[in-house]
């Protein structure tokens, strides 16, 4: 069970809604993933093509917790403005704070993220900041009272997986709020690794939406996250340099 | 009346006097749009009461796919 701000979720997979080949595939992928939290972005409406389909209209919004992001914001001020617009929809009170500092790497601006998180907490939002995988930053955000920490595994959409597992481990070990690995996941193995390290959840988008078969990949991610979590709870064996036999060494009929 | 809607200059009839009428004019009233007038969010329940005046800057946004 994943608990964010006293809300319980059965699924530890948070799924993005961008860049799917079409809405039919997207709908199936969301269904199969069993994700309960879906991320969205806030953008200007094309008022002359208002009849264009919108994914939000195709799903039962009562079944999902919507997690809008502040993507596009370069400053705390812009992030706060986007968050308020999102909340005004009346559909959600959670916000993924995303303040991008560098357009080439899309890595977060930690200072602006911290600032925006502080303001949004004061405004009563449930705040989930997307952050660098830095343990001190995670602590600072926690001290503010954020409801989850979402460190990036590697740059957004890069599919490089967890570049610094040690940093992630440090964040997990000291965290008093859920840690959700956000961005950079490429394969089910990456998602399982995040969970085995002890993350509470994984947020991914491109790994599913741009897979050759997004629906199958959605299922793969669901299962690998479940597997990784079980493995974490079960407690893996320590790594040893040399072999230890699995079969008994006594009572052998030969030798 | 001249408005700046989503950053673009547009002329709308003078009988478009409030946000509700503006959304009607563009057939957007059954859409899950969020309206900001001169950088102030207009609560959904107050669309009919919020006036629209010449040279207003209106933003109409909604949720789209994103990660």
């Amino acid at each position: 069970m994943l608990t964010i701000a006293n809300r319980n979720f059965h699924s530890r997979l948070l799924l993005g809604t961008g860049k799917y080949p079409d809405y039919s595939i997207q709908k199936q992928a969301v269904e199969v993933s069993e994700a309960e939290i879906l991320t969205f972005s806030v953008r200007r409406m094309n008022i002359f093509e208002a009849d264009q389909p919108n994914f939000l209209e195709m799903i039962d919004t009562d079944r999902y917790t919507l997690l809008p992001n502040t993507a596009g914001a370069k400053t705390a001020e812009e992030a706060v403005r986007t968050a308020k617009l999102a909340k005004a929809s009346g559909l959600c009170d959670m916000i993924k704070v995303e303040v991008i500092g560098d357009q080439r790497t899309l890595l977060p601006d930690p200072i602006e993220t911290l600032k925006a998180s502080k303001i949004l907490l004061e405004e009563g939002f449930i705040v989930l900041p997307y952050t660098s995988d830095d343990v001190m930053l995670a602590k600072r955000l926690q001290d503010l009272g954020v409801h989850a920490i979402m460190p990036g595994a590697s740059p957004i959409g890069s599919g490089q997986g967890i570049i610094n597992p040690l940093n992630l481990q440090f964040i997990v070990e000291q965290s008093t709020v859920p840690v959700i690995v956000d961005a950079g996941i490429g394969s089910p193995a990456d998602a399982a690794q995040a969970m085995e390290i002890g993350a509470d959840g994984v947020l991914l988008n491109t790994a599913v939406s741009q897979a050759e078969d997004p629906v199958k990949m959605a299922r793969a991610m669901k299962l690998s996250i479940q597997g990784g979590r079980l493995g974490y709870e079960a407690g893996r064996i320590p790594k040893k340099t040399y072999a230890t036999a699995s079969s008994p060494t006594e009572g052998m009929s030969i030798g | 009346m001249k408005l700046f809607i989503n950053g673009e200059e547009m002329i709308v009839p003078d009988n478009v006097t409030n946000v509700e009428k503006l959304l009607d004019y563009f057939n957007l009233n059954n859409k899950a749009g969020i309206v900001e007038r001169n950088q102030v969010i207009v609560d959904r329940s107050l669309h009919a009461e919020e006036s629209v005046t010449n040279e207003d800057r209106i933003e109409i946004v909604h949720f789209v796919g994103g990660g």
Side-chain angles (χ1 to χ4, degrees):
Chain A
M1 189 85 82
L2 170 65
T3 304
I4 302 171
N6 298 324
R7 290 174 205 185
N8 297 325
F9 302 95
H10 298 288
S11 170
R12 294 178 179 274
L13 169 59
L14 292 76
L15 195 61
T17 58
K19 302 187 292 185
Y20 285 80
D22 62 56
Y23 285 133
S24 161
I25 288 173
Q26 181 169 9
K27 225 176 150 181
Q28 288 176 63
V30 168
E31 195 71 39
V32 163
S33 76
E34 291 180 16
E36 294 162 285
I37 302 177
L38 301 178
T39 64
F40 286 88
S41 298
V42 179
R43 289 291 178 270
R44 282 172 166 169
M45 196 183 259
N46 185 344
I47 57 171
F48 297 110
E49 289 177 45
D51 288 334
Q52 270 192 346
N54 182 299
F55 184 64
L56 199 57
E57 293 169 355
M58 296 178 197
I59 56 167
D60 177 3
T61 48
D62 292 337
R63 272 183 61 197
Y64 297 100
T65 295
L66 306 187
L67 176 59
N69 64 35
T70 64
K74 297 189 184 88
T75 63
E77 194 189 5
E78 288 169 4
V80 168
R81 188 177 169 202
T82 304
K84 286 182 178 174
L85 282 167
K87 197 177 185 179
S89 69
L91 297 169
C92 51
D93 55 4
M94 269 191 191
I95 191 77
K96 167 178 162 176
V97 176
E98 178 175 347
V99 187
I100 298 302
D102 177 61
Q103 290 310 307
R104 187 149 175 243
T105 60
L106 295 182
L107 289 172
D109 181 329
I111 314 288
E112 293 298 309
T113 301
L114 198 74
K115 266 199 253 175
S117 296
K118 185 169 189 288
I119 297 167
L120 290 168
L121 285 165
E122 283 163 5
E123 299 263 355
F125 282 81
I126 294 170
V127 177
L128 293 79
Y130 160 62
T131 71
S132 323
D133 58 349
D134 181 278
V135 71
M136 272 319 300
L137 177 61
K139 281 190 191 198
R140 291 291 184 97
L141 285 162
Q142 244 169 251
D143 291 346
L144 285 181
V146 299
H147 300 86
I149 306 274
M150 304 210 293
S154 52
I156 295 172
S158 71
Q160 293 194 48
I162 302 167
I163 285 182
N164 197 333
L166 194 62
N167 268 14
L168 178 59
Q169 187 190 323
F170 291 160
I171 291 172
V172 165
E173 281 172 1
Q174 63 78 48
S175 190
T176 54
V177 295
V179 175
I180 296 162
V181 173
D182 180 4
I185 297 294
S187 74
D190 300 337
Q193 187 192 6
M195 298 309 292
E196 280 194 60
I197 290 170
D200 297 280
V202 170
L203 196 169
L204 53 86
N205 185 342
T206 311
V208 165
S209 67
Q210 297 280 292
E212 275 183 40
D213 184 339
V215 180
K216 198 170 265 186
M217 188 57 86
R219 182 151 182 266
M221 289 299 185
K222 177 191 81 171
L223 294 172
S224 65
I225 287 168
Q226 288 174 350
R229 179 66 190 182
L230 282 174
Y232 171 73
E233 288 174 2
R236 62 153 295 155
I237 59 160
K239 289 186 184 179
K240 285 169 276 194
T241 307
Y242 295 105
T244 38
S246 305
S247 310
T249 49
E250 282 171 23
M252 285 190 286
S253 60
I254 44 170
Chain B
M1 171 166 54
K2 182 169 82 178
L3 299 175
F4 296 91
I5 304 176
N6 288 350
E8 281 183 44
E9 187 179 319
M10 286 178 206
I11 305 296
V12 301
D14 285 345
N15 62 2
V16 176
T17 51
N18 62 44
V19 169
E20 188 179 42
K21 287 177 181 171
L22 180 70
L23 292 177
D24 271 340
Y25 178 72
F26 288 105
N27 287 320
L28 300 174
N29 249 335
N30 56 356
K31 291 274 165 183
I34 306 143
V35 180
E36 202 185 58
R37 177 182 172 230
N38 299 327
Q39 298 230 10
V40 179
I41 293 167
V42 183
D43 194 276
R44 194 165 288 276
S45 61
L46 299 175
H47 282 180
E49 289 158 48
E50 183 77 16
S51 303
V52 170
T53 53
N54 197 38
E55 305 244 328
D56 272 354
R57 291 181 176 273
I58 308 281
E59 290 285 333
I60 305 171
V61 301
H62 65 158
F63 283 179
V64 299

